[in-house]
Amino acid sequence: MSESTTEMTGTMIDPVTGEIIDQKDLAERLLAQAKEQGVSLVGPGGLLNQLTKNVLETALEAELTEHLGHDHGQTPIAANMRNGTRVKTVLTEIGPVQIEVPRDRDGSFEPVIVPKRKRRLDGIDQIVLSLSARGLTTGEIVAHFEEVYGAKVSKDTISKITEKVAGELAEWSSRPLDPLYPVLFVDAIVVKVRDGQVRNTPFYVVMGVTVNGERDILGIWAGDGAEGARFWLQVFSELKNRGVEDVLIGSL
């Protein structure tokens, strides 16, 4: 069965037996068993928490097996071998999950799924950025995580996430551009911005169509709703300084 067919039918194939697994049926059986045993769906000891723990630990064990070159219990083909586990709590989209991370004897194992010294999965960064973009303060985001996920996230962690993205955005905003864009579009979107108080702010998006027919956002500039000649001179001067030499058609 092809991957597209598998996705459409809502089934997946067991890589060991080759049998088709009905995901809906599996979910229903898991929910029924959890209900029978009095296990909640969410929360520290909930079904989703346990499933996430099992998936992460299985993936980590598979990574270590590939790193060592032998399965658990097999005779090592090199001096390095398994050396127990260490407990680690990672913050996920369903809350904190405590997992056991396998270790190797010489300490050369570098997990990819849950990297060393990393205590939150990438999805958490997206949640923080989404909440920040909606105007929530650092304190409000911290309170949101504690209320919704039962997880304590420090203000320092929230600030580091937003600062990292701010740095990446600054780098993107100053990147070199192509010398020629056959078509240039300028449009505006209105976003709520917290600046002492929440207010509607227009952001002007300049998008260019390359000579290969691809669309590329060249930059985004914040305005105040009363943009004049000086504002647009600044925008187009910046585009020129970043490498744009000619535009054939412009559309506002």
Side-chain angles (χ1 to χ4, degrees):
M1 181 181 293
S2 67
E3 182 178 353
S4 59
T5 304
T6 300
E7 290 176 354
M8 287 189 294
T9 57
T11 60
M12 58 185 180
I13 299 176
D14 189 315
V16 177
T17 65
E19 296 179 350
I20 296 178
I21 301 174
D22 189 306
Q23 298 178 48
K24 183 178 180 180
D25 177 64
L26 177 61
E28 288 176 349
R29 286 190 282 118
L30 286 171
L31 286 172
Q33 185 176 353
K35 184 178 181 180
E36 181 181 332
Q37 298 177 357
V39 177
S40 63
L41 182 61
V42 296
L47 177 62
L48 292 180
N49 188 289
Q50 291 300 314
L51 287 175
T52 302
K53 170 183 171 67
N54 292 338
V55 169
L56 291 176
E57 289 180 348
T58 300
L60 287 168
E61 184 62 36
E63 282 192 62
L64 181 57
T65 294
E66 182 177 357
H67 175 70
L68 297 176
H70 65 270
D71 288 320
H72 196 282
Q74 289 185 335
T75 302
I77 59 177
N80 195 17
M81 61 182 65
R82 286 172 170 78
N83 187 31
T85 62
R86 61 184 177 87
V87 177
K88 178 176 182 178
T89 299
V90 292
L91 185 62
T92 73
E93 294 182 32
I94 62 167
V97 176
Q98 189 177 84
I99 61 174
E100 293 189 7
V101 181
R103 300 183 300 184
D104 60 337
R105 178 166 293 180
D106 66 13
S108 59
F109 177 47
E110 295 285 345
V112 175
I113 299 295
V114 184
K116 290 181 178 179
R117 296 173 294 280
K118 185 170 184 178
R119 295 194 175 275
R120 67 178 189 274
L121 301 187
D122 291 338
I124 297 303
D125 289 10
Q126 300 303 318
I127 294 175
V128 170
L129 295 176
S130 176
L131 295 174
S132 178
R134 294 181 183 184
L136 271 67
T137 65
T138 300
E140 289 171 336
I141 295 175
V142 170
H144 173 84
F145 270 93
E146 187 165 4
E147 178 182 350
V148 177
Y149 301 105
K152 293 185 179 295
V153 183
S154 68
K155 290 185 178 181
D156 183 56
T157 297
I158 301 298
S159 297
K160 286 180 179 178
I161 293 174
T162 54
E163 287 172 3
K164 176 185 176 183
V165 174
E168 294 175 350
L169 179 60
E171 183 178 346
W172 174 82
S173 299
S174 60
R175 75 193 189 283
L177 300 175
D178 294 345
L180 171 64
Y181 289 93
V183 183
L184 205 65
F185 295 96
V186 180
D187 202 355
I189 56 176
V190 177
V191 179
K192 292 186 181 296
V193 175
R194 181 185 292 274
D195 184 15
Q197 61 182 3
V198 178
R199 57 188 177 85
N200 292 329
T201 302
F203 284 81
Y204 297 91
V205 181
V206 177
M207 182 182 69
V209 178
T210 69
V211 293
N212 295 323
E214 298 175 347
R215 297 185 179 186
D216 184 18
I217 296 179
L218 310 186
I220 303 174
W221 289 263
D224 59 13
E227 287 66 46
R230 180 177 297 181
F231 173 84
W232 293 110
L233 177 61
Q234 176 186 348
V235 169
F236 291 113
S237 294
E238 184 176 327
L239 292 175
K240 182 178 180 180
N241 292 335
R242 290 167 57 197
V244 179
E245 297 178 1
D246 199 4
V247 174
L248 302 183
I249 302 174
S251 176
L252 297 178

